Amino acid sequence: MSLRFIIDGYNLVHNPDFPAPDGKISVHRALAVLIRHYNLCGKSSNSVTVVWDGFAPSQMSRDLYSGVIFVFSSDISADDKIRNMLEEAENTKNIIVVSDDKQVQASARLFKARYQRIEEFLKPAAKAFRQKRDGASLSDKLTHAQQCQINKELLNLWCEKKK
């Protein structure tokens, strides 16, 4: 059974756990890459739709986004667009709405879809970025000579303990 994720785009990218892109790529592409790289929606057969407020940027290219579909709400709010999508869906039990917006969560409950908070959705990626920012391991902070010295001391301690 494939799932369908409907993501509140601006709600997600304005969350403090979202790692902002470095300016070389758009926030849209950064989100698509993040979703696919960290398998945030599970299996690749699960469909992913990100709903954004407003109109699509003119330079946006569909083929850059790894199967992540972007929908722009045009003249209505993204919240209303998500609600309309839920209302039109045949089987909402297979839909997971990702948003911290209370109105969007209420719409998901109303149409018997599941919802997930942004922090929970981003948890795998946020953990990886925190590790990268804080230093993935102690060995990244030590010189090769320091690592060799520690290994030598540990080997001596281990050999003494074995006697």
Side-chain angles (χ1 to χ4, degrees):
M1 170 183 72
S2 292
L3 298 173
R4 180 179 178 197
F5 284 79
I6 299 176
I7 300 170
D8 186 349
Y10 285 116
N11 190 259
L12 190 147
V13 300
H14 288 108
N15 185 285
D17 286 334
F18 178 72
D22 59 9
K24 294 179 184 172
I25 63 173
S26 72
V27 70
H28 302 97
R29 183 151 201 258
L31 177 57
V33 169
L34 185 80
I35 288 169
R36 290 303 186 203
H37 182 76
Y38 291 100
N39 295 321
L40 298 181
C41 295
K43 300 183 294 187
S44 60
S45 62
N46 292 338
S47 69
V48 183
T49 303
V50 181
V51 181
W52 305 92
D53 285 299
F55 295 88
S58 59
Q59 75 278 8
M60 182 170 279
S61 170
R62 283 201 168 278
D63 61 340
L64 295 176
Y65 301 108
S66 309
V68 175
I69 299 166
F70 292 136
V71 173
F72 291 84
S73 65
S74 302
D75 293 327
I76 63 174
S77 71
D79 298 3
D80 289 339
K81 182 72 173 177
I82 291 169
R83 181 184 170 90
N84 293 346
M85 291 170 74
L86 290 168
E87 192 171 10
E88 294 168 5
E90 289 182 23
N91 186 1
T92 56
K93 292 182 183 193
N94 293 336
I95 295 177
I96 299 173
V97 177
V98 179
S99 181
D100 283 343
D101 187 299
K102 300 293 184 204
Q103 181 180 349
V104 173
Q105 292 173 355
S107 293
R109 283 191 301 273
L110 177 68
F111 291 101
K112 302 203 182 338
R114 292 180 272 174
Y115 69 87
Q116 188 175 31
R117 294 186 44 80
I118 300 240
E119 179 182 0
E120 188 63 30
F121 179 76
L122 288 175
K123 190 178 274 187
K127 181 179 178 186
F129 277 94
R130 273 193 303 276
Q131 286 176 337
K132 187 174 180 180
R133 181 193 65 216
D134 298 341
S137 68
L138 181 59
S139 64
D140 291 341
K141 297 176 184 177
L142 298 173
T143 66
H144 180 69
Q146 290 170 321
Q147 292 175 33
C148 290
Q149 181 63 35
I150 290 170
N151 286 339
K152 185 177 177 183
E153 290 174 15
L154 286 173
L155 179 63
N156 289 338
L157 287 171
W158 185 74
C159 288
E160 288 177 15
K161 204 172 196 179
K162 285 287 201 177
K163 290 181 184 179

